[in-house]
Amino acid sequence: MNLEKYNDTYMSIFNVTEDALNEDFNFGTAPGWNSFAHMELIASLEDAFEIMFEVNDIMHFGGYENGKAILRRYGVDI
């Protein structure tokens, strides 16, 4: 369920299919992942999982797979 919520957030913001979400989906290389989309992603994930990211995590939330690891640190089973 959490993975579905995580993927839905990415698909909504970046207008991609689930097939596009993999270890190569990263800030700067994924279509549309710019600074604005990055902050939109962070805000959407905070709302979806009812968490508040630390500034350091926001700055280092640079990829689809990396994001899962960061969420785990916040107690999200993904």
Side-chain angles (χ1 to χ4, degrees):
M1 174 141 164
N2 283 338
L3 181 58
E4 182 178 331
K5 193 185 312 185
Y6 183 69
N7 287 349
D8 286 347
T9 302
Y10 271 84
M11 291 186 299
S12 173
I13 290 171
F14 298 108
N15 196 29
V16 296
T17 64
E18 198 165 11
D19 294 342
L21 303 176
N22 58 47
E23 65 276 353
D24 295 325
F25 200 89
N26 299 304
F27 180 85
T29 59
W33 195 336
N34 55 30
S35 297
F36 179 76
H38 185 77
M39 293 312 297
E40 187 178 3
L41 174 65
I42 294 298
S44 294
L45 289 171
E46 286 179 332
D47 288 345
F49 293 105
E50 299 179 358
I51 58 173
M52 183 69 74
F53 289 114
E54 299 286 331
V55 172
N56 193 44
D57 289 328
I58 294 170
M59 293 173 50
H60 292 98
F61 200 107
Y64 174 78
E65 290 297 330
N66 183 47
K68 290 180 189 177
I70 290 173
L71 281 171
R72 284 186 198 105
R73 292 200 311 257
Y74 287 84
V76 177
D77 184 23
I78 196 161

